[in-house]
Amino acid sequence: SKAFAQQEGDDAFENNLKSTYTVNNNGNTHVEHTFTIKNLTPTYYITKHGLRTNSANIQNVRVFNRSGTIDAEVTTLDKQTNIGITFPDKLVGEGKTRTFTISYNNPDLAQINGNVLEVAIPKQADPNKYVNVEVELNTPLRFGHATRVYPSTNFTQKLTNDGTRMTFGDLGNKGVSAIFGFEQIFDLNFTYFLENNDSQPILLQTALPPDTPFQRMHYHSIDPKPTEMSVDDDGNWIATFYMPGNTAQAVKVQAQAKLTLDRNDDIPVYYPQDFHLSRQPFWEIDNKNLREIAEQNRTPEEIYNYVTTNLEYEVIESLDNFERKGATKAVENPTAVACQEFSDLFVTLARINQVPARVITGYAHTENNQLRPLSLVEDVLHAWPEYWNEQEQIWQPIDPTWGNTTGGVDYFNQFDLNHI
């Protein structure tokens, strides 16, 4: 962002930006933003410049040009870092060009787990103010070429002596998401606590993580073993346990989950049913206000963009005060919602537009709970929606919560290898 007195000065400059992101072997990313600002009039000139990032963890901020270092004021506020520059000289004259670079280290852009590298570069906030925006991404040699990239066009990728270099041009209002690796394997250890406070024996049920086209499960042990296993209408695996009267039982499970980017066609797809379009608790498809919103946002991507833009995530401090609000209350109070509300609102707007949708509850692996929060219990529960992709004939997972909390990383067009 630029700061100067006259509003008409917006048309007085030509702006170009090249951003270079270099990921090292431990996942930390060195960032350099090189700005080139050209005076288009003989009277206007730049006195100040500002940059805002969506991370509060950046380090080693430095501003420089050919003449040396330029002093900068760095402030951190509300999960963001602001870098302000006041230039020591006046560069006056039509055609005069000021070039300078803002550099810093950001630990939040890349995540390395095992042999998988995931990089998420947020979108440029106001790309229309630039004649040209170029993004360069450099990654370590050991990860090779990217497996999945979004946007999937308008970029080049080549191997260098140090690694892989990807160059993007004309991104518009899109960020960059790149995954290096095909699959991720998680070892899981979890416990279900079952309790029967009645004097008579009963049957209690729990849901176990199932096979899906993007997830393959292998169970090492379930102790004690279920009395019965079944599959519900959504493809969930339901374990039934016999519980004598006045007893409690901890069911301990050891398992392994293999997540893949490519769908496994050997896993059956459970096709949408009538209840995937119906009114249910928290999904008030007959609400007048919600129907008006749905009229303006008809496609799944339009709905995703509406939800990520109009809701504001709030950390749940205690489960004692937790209340699931649902779609209607989320719209009425959009600045205090959690992952359930992001998911509930997407599902409701999708169903109003006759797009089958549902909410998934599971675990999402994150290295930064501020950027990618797990809303209900830290390291345990997260929620995200799926909609029926008619063209691909598959339930498509998305994550509008993380799309919001990361400041615009795209979790609609490209999912990741972290959601179980």
Side-chain angles (χ1 to χ4, degrees):
S1 59
K2 301 182 296 296
F4 39 81
Q6 292 87 349
Q7 183 65 37
E8 60 267 26
D10 280 338
D11 299 322
F13 304 96
E14 178 184 287
N15 305 290
N16 293 275
L17 170 62
K18 180 178 180 181
S19 296
T20 302
Y21 300 83
T22 303
V23 183
N24 64 21
N25 280 303
N26 64 11
N28 202 359
T29 304
H30 179 72
V31 184
E32 289 191 354
H33 301 293
T34 298
F35 297 88
T36 302
I37 302 176
K38 181 180 179 180
N39 295 348
L40 299 181
T41 72
T43 53
Y44 288 99
Y45 60 92
I46 294 291
T47 60
K48 296 182 179 181
H49 196 87
L51 174 72
R52 177 178 295 127
T53 75
N54 70 324
S55 172
N57 299 320
I58 71 171
Q59 301 171 331
N60 302 324
V61 176
R62 181 172 174 250
V63 181
F64 58 93
N65 59 18
R66 291 182 178 179
S67 301
T69 301
I70 302 173
D71 291 337
E73 181 179 355
V74 180
T75 58
T76 301
L77 179 66
D78 192 26
K79 303 178 184 178
Q80 295 179 333
T81 301
N82 299 317
I83 303 170
I85 310 161
T86 300
F87 296 107
D89 59 333
K90 298 179 180 180
L91 190 64
V92 185
E94 186 174 356
K96 293 285 187 179
T97 299
R98 182 185 293 280
T99 299
F100 60 97
T101 299
I102 301 175
S103 71
Y104 52 86
N105 294 331
N106 189 336
D108 297 327
L109 298 177
Q111 183 170 294
I112 296 176
N113 292 302
N115 294 319
V116 175
L117 166 65
E118 298 180 56
V119 183
I121 300 172
K123 61 186 178 183
Q124 182 74 25
D126 196 356
N128 295 327
K129 289 197 173 185
Y130 294 89
V131 173
N132 182 58
V133 176
E134 181 180 330
V135 172
E136 179 181 297
L137 172 61
N138 299 297
T139 54
L141 187 62
R142 68 186 178 98
F143 295 105
H145 282 298
T147 309
R148 292 281 178 85
V149 182
Y150 181 81
S152 58
T153 59
N154 198 30
F155 75 93
T156 61
Q157 181 174 201
K158 66 177 183 179
L159 288 175
T160 67
N161 292 332
D162 299 321
T164 300
R165 175 171 298 161
M166 306 175 69
T167 304
F168 299 82
D170 192 25
L171 285 169
N173 63 348
K174 296 182 175 67
V176 173
S177 297
I179 298 179
F180 299 77
F182 294 91
E183 64 184 32
Q184 184 67 278
I185 295 177
F186 288 89
D187 290 319
L188 309 178
N189 293 278
F190 48 95
T191 305
Y192 298 95
F193 295 97
L194 307 181
E195 188 172 6
N196 178 14
N197 293 319
D198 196 283
S199 60
Q200 300 298 315
I202 60 173
L203 296 176
L204 291 180
Q205 293 183 321
T206 67
L208 297 173
D211 282 345
T212 76
F214 302 104
Q215 171 175 297
R216 195 65 186 262
M217 295 299 303
H218 177 74
Y219 284 89
H220 301 298
S221 65
I222 303 175
D223 185 23
K225 292 182 178 180
T227 305
E228 180 185 353
M229 287 291 300
S230 60
V231 179
D232 71 6
D233 291 337
D234 271 307
N236 295 304
W237 293 355
I238 307 300
T240 301
F241 295 88
Y242 174 82
M243 295 287 294
N246 297 315
T247 59
Q249 177 71 57
V251 179
K252 295 186 177 296
V253 180
Q254 289 185 322
Q256 196 172 70
K258 182 171 78 171
L259 308 185
T260 58
L261 291 178
D262 296 323
R263 61 186 290 180
N264 184 348
D265 291 329
D266 293 334
I267 306 300
V269 175
Y270 287 79
Y271 288 89
Q273 301 180 57
D274 290 342
F275 65 80
H276 290 121
L277 290 172
S278 66
R279 185 191 194 281
Q280 292 177 261
F282 310 111
W283 306 328
E284 306 93 342
I285 63 174
D286 52 358
N287 179 272
K288 180 180 178 181
N289 188 22
L290 294 177
R291 296 189 72 86
E292 290 176 355
I293 296 171
E295 285 184 9
Q296 304 298 319
N297 303 274
R298 293 190 174 276
T299 70
E301 187 163 12
E302 289 173 344
I303 297 169
Y304 170 90
N305 290 334
Y306 176 85
V307 173
T308 57
T309 302
N310 288 276
L311 298 187
E312 185 175 330
Y313 181 83
E314 181 181 64
V315 176
I316 297 174
E317 299 294 342
S318 171
L319 284 183
D320 295 336
N321 300 321
F322 173 72
E323 175 196 5
R324 184 173 177 181
K325 300 178 177 68
T328 300
K329 290 184 178 179
V331 171
E332 293 172 352
N333 187 18
T335 60
V337 298
C339 63
Q340 290 279 15
E341 284 69 48
F342 278 89
S343 302
D344 288 340
L345 182 56
F346 178 91
V347 166
T348 305
L349 297 178
R351 290 188 176 191
I352 292 173
N353 283 301
Q354 295 300 297
V355 178
R358 61 190 187 184
V359 172
I360 304 299
T361 302
Y363 170 78
H365 182 70
T366 177
E367 298 288 345
N368 186 321
N369 287 333
Q370 287 188 331
L371 279 182
R372 296 173 179 84
L374 307 180
S375 297
L376 299 185
V377 182
E378 186 174 316
D379 290 339
V380 178
L381 290 179
H382 185 52
W384 60 93
E386 289 183 341
Y387 72 92
W388 179 251
N389 187 326
E390 184 67 28
Q391 182 177 354
E392 300 292 334
Q393 291 288 289
I394 201 165
W395 287 101
Q396 187 70 51
I398 59 175
D399 195 338
T401 306
W402 284 9
N404 170 271
T405 57
T406 55
V409 173
D410 191 336
Y411 282 94
F412 181 86
N413 290 287
Q414 180 165 285
F415 212 49
D416 61 16
L417 292 168
N418 294 315
H419 289 66
I420 300 174

